[in-house]
Amino acid sequence: MTFKTIALDIEAGVARLTLNRPDKLNSFTTEMHAELRTALNSIQNDPSVRVLVLTGAGRAFSAGQDLGDECMQAQEGRMPDIGNVIEQFYKPLVMQLANLRVPTLAAVNGIAAGAGMSVALACDLVIATRSASFLQAFTRIGLMPDTGSTWFLPQRVGMARAMGLAMLADKLPAETAAEWGLIWQCVDDAAFASTVATTAERLAKAPTKALVRTRQSMQASLSHSLEQQLSLEASYIRELGWSPDYAEGVSAFAAKREPQFGGK
């Protein structure tokens, strides 16, 4: 597939999806959203893919929505319906990531601002360079956080820090983001590429269904009672206990060898 605003490369089970508008700090446009939908659908339907790595080209992960895009322009003298932009583009994007059949890794190579930060947080794991930063830029233009940030932030850093990040719109260094538990890991810029590659390889070789059920269980726990969560765990464990990957895992453990999971 040929894209104008993104790039997709699939090799050895790793799908690397790159936001590719470096001159515009990889800000989102209507065209980019359409291409992302196509790429994520392709990944969802490709059995060879075992993990998605989402990153940005150039010096940014993403600066968020491109305010110059057609969807943000006034029509016949009326301000655009920005809520419709969320419903039509960002909600489907976040839900595609949340429901992808493989684990997702955001490789944040630079600034992740506004919806760019939200999209990174929609991934299962986030690894960032030490020079990267995160910014809830919404109040700087008279808006509030969207694209899931009002859901992600309180969960990960608590209400006090979530409110501070959202209301004050201060830039958060990647190192602090890792210390707060907002992201999984912050690494030196020189080690970033190798760390992302190694992590992606580990995820690609892991029991894919077990990883996705782990994601789904963690998400469900936010609205479940303990009893409900225990029942959900039993249901998922029952399913995974009949899987080829579980059989392989037990066999490898007994033989004291590394398991060769097939993602099934």
Side-chain angles (χ1 to χ4, degrees):
M1 289 179 286
T2 302
F3 299 108
K4 293 181 179 180
T5 66
I6 64 173
L8 176 62
D9 175 70
I10 299 174
E11 184 177 357
V14 179
R16 187 177 182 89
L17 182 54
T18 304
L19 306 177
N20 194 26
R21 299 182 71 223
D23 56 322
K24 299 294 184 180
L25 300 182
N26 303 318
S27 54
F28 293 98
T29 62
T30 302
E31 183 178 30
M32 180 183 281
H33 278 290
E35 293 189 343
L36 284 170
R37 281 195 300 273
T38 299
L40 289 172
N41 284 334
S42 175
I43 291 167
Q44 182 78 348
N45 295 315
D46 186 344
S48 73
V49 175
R50 300 282 297 278
V51 62
L52 165 67
V53 176
L54 179 63
T55 193
R59 59 190 179 91
F61 177 79
S62 173
Q65 174 63 38
D66 186 336
L67 298 180
D69 188 51
E70 58 183 351
C71 69
M72 301 297 289
Q73 303 308 303
Q75 300 293 330
E76 298 179 354
R78 297 179 60 185
M79 293 295 287
D81 182 349
I82 305 178
N84 186 59
V85 174
I86 300 300
E87 288 283 355
Q88 186 176 354
F89 299 120
Y90 288 102
K91 180 180 177 181
L93 173 57
V94 170
M95 294 310 298
Q96 270 192 295
L97 290 170
N99 294 320
L100 207 63
R101 61 164 192 81
V102 297
T104 55
L105 168 62
V108 178
N109 52 302
I111 183 68
M117 177 176 175
S118 304
V119 168
L121 296 181
C123 293
D124 298 324
L125 298 177
V126 182
I127 297 177
T129 62
R130 200 166 301 279
S131 63
S133 57
F134 298 85
L135 175 63
Q136 288 287 292
F138 303 94
T139 61
R140 293 188 177 188
I141 57 171
L143 296 177
M144 57 162 276
D146 58 38
T147 314
S149 273
T150 60
W151 195 80
F152 298 126
L153 290 175
Q155 288 178 38
R156 300 193 185 187
V157 299
M159 190 60 73
R161 284 172 170 165
M163 293 289 279
L165 288 171
M167 288 190 167
L168 299 176
D170 288 338
K171 189 179 292 186
L172 184 71
E175 189 169 5
T176 305
E179 291 172 355
W180 285 7
L182 181 66
I183 65 172
W184 168 241
Q185 194 175 15
C186 170
V187 299
D188 290 337
D189 290 38
F192 179 66
S194 61
T195 301
V196 169
T198 299
T199 305
E201 183 180 1
R202 288 179 62 187
L203 291 170
K205 292 181 177 179
T208 307
K209 287 188 175 180
L211 299 186
V212 173
R213 286 305 194 195
T214 298
R215 172 212 294 155
Q216 293 168 338
S217 298
M218 295 286 190
Q219 291 174 342
S221 71
L222 300 172
S223 59
H224 275 185
S225 66
L226 175 59
E227 183 176 8
Q228 288 173 319
Q229 194 67 13
L230 288 166
S231 295
L232 181 67
E233 289 174 350
S235 175
Y236 285 168
I237 285 291
R238 179 178 296 111
E239 174 195 45
L240 295 172
W242 289 330
S243 71
D245 274 350
Y246 174 68
E248 166 61 13
V250 172
S251 176
F253 179 80
K256 298 182 179 179
R257 62 173 175 80
E258 288 295 317
Q260 300 295 315
F261 294 120
K264 301 179 180 179

